[in-house]
Amino acid sequence: MKALEKLFELRRSLDTYEREMGFDKLSEVEKSVLEFVVHSKDANITRITKDAYFFKYSLSTIKRAVGVLLSENIITATQSSLDKRSMILTYNK
């Protein structure tokens, strides 16, 4: 019971932070992708899909989330200098 109470407190705090940062309009998968991009060096769609957290999402769902973040100008995609097929995703601060 205490664990569930603590979990709800954390969820409420997270909701407050997301609202303050202006990310409350994003879907859960969009927020997760954004957090992965901020957390990971050289993030790209392939790396996102290979992370165990994202196994529950399809490739098209992840691509759609990246598309929303790009169109909202929250992240930027830049061609990798190592692999021209890869687009590196970065957070626009």
Side-chain angles (χ1 to χ4, degrees), residues 11-80:
R11 199 173 300 280
R12 184 181 293 158
S13 294
L14 180 61
D15 184 63
T16 301
Y17 289 133
E18 288 172 347
R19 257 185 284 117
E20 288 173 359
M21 296 175 73
F23 298 137
D24 54 317
K25 302 293 188 248
L26 298 175
S27 72
E28 289 304 313
V29 68
E30 291 162 356
K31 288 184 245 187
S32 297
V33 167
L34 174 59
E35 291 156 2
F36 183 88
V37 167
V38 171
H39 174 76
S40 301
K41 184 178 186 298
D42 297 331
N44 60 34
I45 290 176
T46 302
R47 288 192 64 205
I48 294 169
T49 60
K50 290 185 178 187
D51 186 276
Y53 177 82
F54 291 98
F55 285 170
K56 59 189 167 191
Y57 299 110
S58 68
L59 175 61
S60 60
T61 298
I62 293 170
K63 284 183 174 182
R64 195 168 26 258
V66 168
V68 168
L69 296 171
L70 288 168
S71 68
E72 295 289 327
N73 202 31
I74 297 172
I75 64 172
T76 302
T78 309
Q79 190 176 44
S80 170

